[in-house]
């Protein structure tokens, strides 16, 4: 086999899903094999797992810390963050003087969790706290003068923005002479100009902390660590115990996962420890939401990303923006149940709204791809602005192109964009704004927000298409990166248990993808709402069977190969997971793609 051919897992250059199957870095090289063996010996794991870790850049000396992430091994001195000491001193004064703190949080999960975390701890320390989460439709993103006036009117002595505010100098500065201002954020600033007051943001240009991968709730947690250190030095805990910050790590974990932060280093420790806290079920609001959403395993990144996160986000997208914060702060069981059921209901409505827009968006995207567009720009008059970001992500997944999706109303298009690896959409959107083509625009490499006059849509599309011309050469589907090939008999509970040790999975630590060679799909069944899930039975040439599942099968081109009544010999790739359900161990292969053998 040639070197070029060896790069393709099982020789799959184009699967039934239109994807090439490629090895993760170092999976096939001689040095990669040696590194994998070294990791396996040092961490006392099977060589197969050692090679997975080595291919992800985990050296032997860090493998044990990766497998058992402890917060004390990763927690930095909060003072490494620019402005942290000033923020801690100001918050300590608020605690000493029993001030009222007005918190303005963003309307997504990170904003809700950061707001709840700060409110809970500051209230425990004796402060009165007032909160405001903006209405996405009426107020838009970021702080606004009316909301800040409202917090002052409710008694706020100190104003605190969380998960927003870095780019809001024009709004915040007029308040600086009236109230002290703290900003706890992680969004990249558009230049060096920051609001007056104290801005703690690892991504500000003059911060050398190296903590730019934190979400805003992570920044808030470090701020509270610094605050308690300051209060301890002041003697505040001579006669009482300080608040237990560790019991709030579930909020940090939830925010980190839902804001798609890389699960490495400090973030991995936050999430690993936070999921343990979450699994205890002590936070009434989340425990109630788990019951309503029928979540079996609260202590999982999947529960955060696919059950809790979408429901908390749904309030900010198409309903009351503060529903999520109120749920996280709920202390009454009846109130928690009402809020959880409301969020569940709103999420179902969000799914319906999203589905209707997605059908039209897919049709328009296909036409633009056929016309040779590298960037897809989709918008409609009846599209709900609260779900355009989700739709953009779904279109990006399907067409492997940078995508902008907007809602048009009153001659203005407002929307969100999502990109693919290697294509910096945020920089292109900022360039379009600087060129006068957008009313507003900003973001980072993988995501952006924008607004423009509807009359200028064609010019913006042409500008971005030219600016990101490299996107035209992208394959129709993103390559599937695989971590290993195992036989059907080798895909057993013991292997699933070893893979689970690499969790939590998410950005920066993808769940391992295994390829299973030469199988037949001997049984298929459509299950779930509208038959959207495909359940199959995979059988090996030498015997053995394994259950497989495909979610959103109607959107997966490879589903037809699995359902082929002639039962051809195929390769499948996906994730192997073991679960305990009703005291029984079950093993399932979640199929990501399939190819003819």
């Amino acid at each position: 086999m040639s070197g070029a051919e060896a790069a393709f897992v099982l020789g799959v250059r184009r699967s039934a899903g239109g994807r090439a199957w490629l090895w993760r870095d170092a999976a096939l090289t001689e040095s990669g094999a040696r590194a994998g063996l070294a990791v396996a010996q040092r961490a006392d794991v099977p060589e197969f797992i050692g090679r997975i870790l080595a291919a992800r850049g985990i050296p032997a000396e860090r493998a044990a810390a990766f497998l058992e992430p402890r917060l004390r091994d990763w927690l930095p001195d909060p003072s490494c963050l620019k402005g942290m000491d000033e923020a801690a001193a100001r918050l300590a004064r608020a605690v000493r003087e029993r001030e009222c703190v007005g918190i303005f949080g963003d309307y997504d999960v990170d904003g809700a969790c950061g707001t709840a975390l700060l409110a809970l701890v500051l209230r425990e320390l004796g402060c009165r706290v007032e909160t405001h989460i903006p209405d996405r439709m009426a107020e838009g993103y970021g702080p606004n003068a009316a909301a800040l006036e409202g917090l002052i009117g409710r008694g706020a002595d100190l104003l605190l923005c969380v998960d927003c505010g870095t780019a809001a100098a024009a709004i915040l500065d007029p308040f600086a002479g009236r109230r002290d201002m703290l900003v706890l954020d992680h969004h990249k600033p558009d230049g060096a100009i920051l609001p007056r007051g104290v801005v703690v943001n690892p991504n500000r240009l003059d911060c050398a902390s190296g903590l730019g991968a934190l979400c805003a709730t992570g920044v808030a947690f470090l701020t509270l660590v610094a605050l308690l250190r300051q209060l301890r030095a002041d003697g505040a805990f001579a006669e009482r115990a300080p608040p237990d910050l560790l019991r709030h790590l579930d909020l940090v974990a939830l925010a980190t996962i839902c804001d798609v932060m890389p699960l490495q280093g400090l973030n991995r420790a936050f999430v690993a420890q936070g999921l343990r806290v979450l699994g205890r079920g002590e936070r009434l609001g989340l425990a109630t939401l788990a019951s309503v959403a029928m979540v079996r395993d609260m202590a999982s990144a999947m529960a955060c990303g696919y059950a809790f996160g979408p429901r908390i986000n749904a309030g900010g997208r198409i309903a009351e923006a503060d529903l999520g914060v109120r749920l996280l702060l709920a202390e009454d069981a009846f109130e928690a149940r009402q809020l959880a059921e409301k969020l569940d209901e709103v999420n179902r409505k969000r799914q319906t709204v999203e589905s209707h827009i997605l059908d039209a968006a897919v049709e328009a995207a296909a036409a633009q791809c056929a016309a040779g567009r590298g960037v897809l720009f989709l918008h409609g008059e009846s599209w709900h602005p609260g779900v355009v970001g989700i739709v953009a992500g779904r279109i990006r997944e399907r067409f492997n192109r940078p995508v902008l999706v907007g809602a048009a109303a009153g001659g203005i298009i407002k929307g969100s964009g999502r990109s693919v690896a290697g294509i910096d959409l945020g920089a292109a959107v900022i360039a379009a704004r600087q060129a006068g083509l957008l009313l507003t625009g900003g973001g980072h490499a993988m995501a952006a927000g924008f607004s423009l006059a509807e009359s200028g849509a064609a010019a913006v599309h042409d500008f971005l298409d030219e600016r990101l011309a490299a996107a035209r050469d992208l394959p129709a589907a993103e390559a599937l990166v695989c971590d290993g090939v195992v036989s059907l008999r080798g895909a057993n509970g013991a292997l699933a248990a070893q893979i689970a040790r690499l969790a939590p999975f998410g950005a920066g630590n993808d769940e391992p993808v295994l390829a299973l060679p030469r199988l037949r799909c001997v049984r298929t069944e459509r299950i779930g709402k509208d038959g959207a899930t495909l359940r199959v039975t995979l059988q090996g040439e030498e015997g053995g069977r394994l259950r497989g599942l495909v979610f959103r099968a109607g959107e997966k081109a490879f589903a037809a190969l699995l359902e082929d009544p002639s039962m051809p010999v195929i390769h499948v790739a996906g994730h192997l997971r073991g679960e305990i359900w009703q005291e029984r161990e079950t093993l399932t292969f979640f199929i990501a793609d399939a190819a003819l053998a």
Side-chain angles (χ1 to χ4, degrees):
M1 183 182 294
S2 69
E5 187 65 26
F8 295 96
V9 177
L10 298 175
V12 178
R13 290 176 173 270
R14 183 178 175 83
S15 69
R19 308 172 76 176
W21 294 5
L22 303 178
W23 287 104
R24 194 175 296 275
D25 288 347
L28 284 181
T29 66
E30 184 178 344
S31 61
R34 289 197 302 269
L37 180 59
V39 170
Q41 293 173 339
R42 188 77 171 263
D44 192 24
V45 295
E47 186 176 351
F48 185 82
I49 299 299
R51 293 189 68 169
I52 289 177
L53 288 168
R56 290 158 187 255
I58 308 298
E61 62 271 18
R62 287 204 294 114
F66 180 89
L67 292 170
E68 296 291 340
R70 298 181 301 181
L71 193 56
R72 66 172 177 266
D73 293 335
W74 292 100
L75 195 67
D77 180 346
S79 295
C80 72
L81 285 155
K82 185 80 171 181
M84 180 61 81
D85 291 341
E86 294 89 336
R90 182 61 187 87
L91 285 170
R93 186 180 121 198
V95 171
R96 286 194 305 271
E97 299 180 5
R98 296 293 190 266
E99 290 183 324
C100 175
V101 180
I103 302 176
F104 184 104
D106 190 23
Y107 44 61
D108 69 356
V109 175
D110 192 15
C113 288
T115 299
L117 172 64
L118 291 162
L120 287 164
V121 176
L122 289 173
R123 284 171 179 165
E124 187 175 351
L125 288 168
C127 289
R128 183 162 69 88
V129 177
E130 297 290 337
T131 65
H132 181 86
I133 305 294
D135 183 288
R136 181 189 293 255
M137 302 287 291
E139 300 174 71
Y141 170 77
N144 63 84
L148 296 175
E149 289 286 4
L151 288 171
I152 291 174
R154 287 151 63 188
D157 303 297
L158 170 65
L159 295 174
L160 195 163
C161 294
V162 59
D163 199 28
C164 59
T166 297
I171 297 295
L172 298 180
D173 285 356
F175 289 86
R178 300 168 55 192
R179 296 292 187 276
D180 287 341
M181 179 74 63
L182 300 183
V183 172
L184 306 181
D185 198 4
H186 71 130
H187 293 95
K188 292 183 178 179
D190 184 12
I193 298 176
L194 298 173
R196 294 166 61 189
V198 179
V199 178
V200 181
N201 182 338
N203 287 305
R204 56 183 283 181
L205 300 182
D206 58 351
C207 183
S209 67
L211 298 174
L214 289 178
C215 67
T217 306
V219 174
F221 184 87
L222 292 183
T223 303
L224 292 172
V225 171
L227 168 61
L228 296 191
R229 182 177 63 184
Q230 179 67 57
L231 291 173
R232 190 176 289 108
D234 294 343
F237 303 125
E239 298 180 0
R240 60 166 177 157
D244 179 7
L245 294 186
L246 297 183
R247 63 190 287 261
H248 298 302
L249 280 173
D250 57 337
L251 297 175
V252 184
L254 177 59
T256 301
I257 292 166
C258 293
D259 230 39
V260 200
M261 297 292 102
L263 300 188
Q264 300 171 353
L266 178 58
N267 280 344
R268 181 171 169 80
F270 272 151
V271 171
Q273 301 300 323
L275 290 179
R276 292 193 181 106
V277 176
L278 182 60
R280 298 202 296 258
E282 295 173 353
R283 192 166 309 280
L284 178 62
L286 291 178
T288 306
L289 188 60
S291 173
V292 169
M294 294 184 290
V295 172
R296 290 190 293 186
D297 180 12
M298 285 184 66
S300 70
M302 190 164 294
C304 293
Y306 292 95
F308 302 142
R311 286 167 173 80
I312 292 172
N313 263 333
R317 291 187 183 280
I318 61 175
E320 301 166 61
D322 66 346
L323 285 174
V325 168
R326 287 161 56 195
L327 178 77
L328 296 176
L329 295 175
E331 297 180 348
D332 176 78
F334 179 74
E335 179 192 17
R337 188 77 187 184
Q338 283 188 313
L339 290 167
E341 289 178 347
K342 177 67 173 178
L343 284 169
D344 190 59
E345 174 190 340
V346 170
N347 188 55
R348 287 196 299 272
K349 179 181 178 182
R350 187 270 304 169
Q351 290 172 324
T352 300
V353 170
E354 175 192 329
S355 177
H356 291 159
I357 296 174
L358 184 62
D359 291 341
V362 166
E363 184 177 350
Q368 290 185 13
C369 281
R373 292 283 196 176
V375 174
L376 308 180
F377 186 19
L378 320 166
H379 50 90
E381 287 285 344
S382 61
W383 295 4
H384 196 294
V387 301
V388 292
I390 299 175
V391 172
R394 297 283 293 278
I395 297 294
R396 184 265 316 274
E397 289 176 11
R398 182 162 315 187
F399 292 93
N400 196 36
R401 292 285 187 276
V403 181
L404 297 97
V405 179
I412 301 295
I413 298 173
K414 294 182 179 180
S416 297
R418 300 291 184 270
S419 194
V420 298
I423 302 292
D424 192 337
L425 180 61
V429 166
I430 290 172
R433 190 201 70 219
Q434 293 171 340
L437 298 174
L438 297 174
L439 299 174
T440 61
H444 52 78
M446 298 300 289
F450 63 90
S451 66
L452 68 150
E454 192 170 2
S455 59
V460 168
H461 196 178
D462 290 342
F463 178 91
L464 294 174
D465 205 45
E466 185 60 34
R467 179 98 179 183
L468 302 176
R472 298 174 199 159
D473 298 324
L474 291 170
E478 185 179 13
L480 182 65
V481 178
C482 299
D483 293 88
V485 175
V486 297
S487 68
L488 188 68
R489 291 189 181 278
N492 53 35
L495 178 60
Q498 287 290 344
I499 289 173
R501 293 188 64 191
L502 309 182
F505 300 121
N509 185 40
D510 300 333
E511 184 175 4
V513 175
L514 306 181
L516 308 185
R518 302 193 62 80
L519 309 174
R520 293 184 190 274
C521 205
V522 297
R523 185 170 181 267
T524 66
E525 179 185 11
R526 292 281 184 153
I527 60 175
K529 183 181 179 183
D530 302 323
T533 298
L534 175 62
R535 182 165 60 195
V536 305
T537 300
L538 302 169
Q539 181 172 293
E541 289 186 312
E542 298 179 357
R545 291 192 170 193
L546 180 64
R547 184 179 70 162
L549 286 177
V550 181
F551 294 125
R552 301 205 319 251
E555 301 175 18
K556 308 294 174 61
F558 67 84
L561 178 61
L562 299 175
E563 294 181 294
D564 186 339
S566 70
M567 294 186 291
V569 179
I570 61 174
H571 307 313
V572 298
H575 310 293
L576 181 67
R577 300 176 193 153
E579 297 179 297
I580 303 296
W581 174 238
Q582 294 180 342
E583 299 184 352
R584 292 181 55 198
E585 183 179 352
T586 62
L587 192 65
T588 305
F589 196 73
F590 292 82
I591 302 173
D593 201 3
L596 279 171

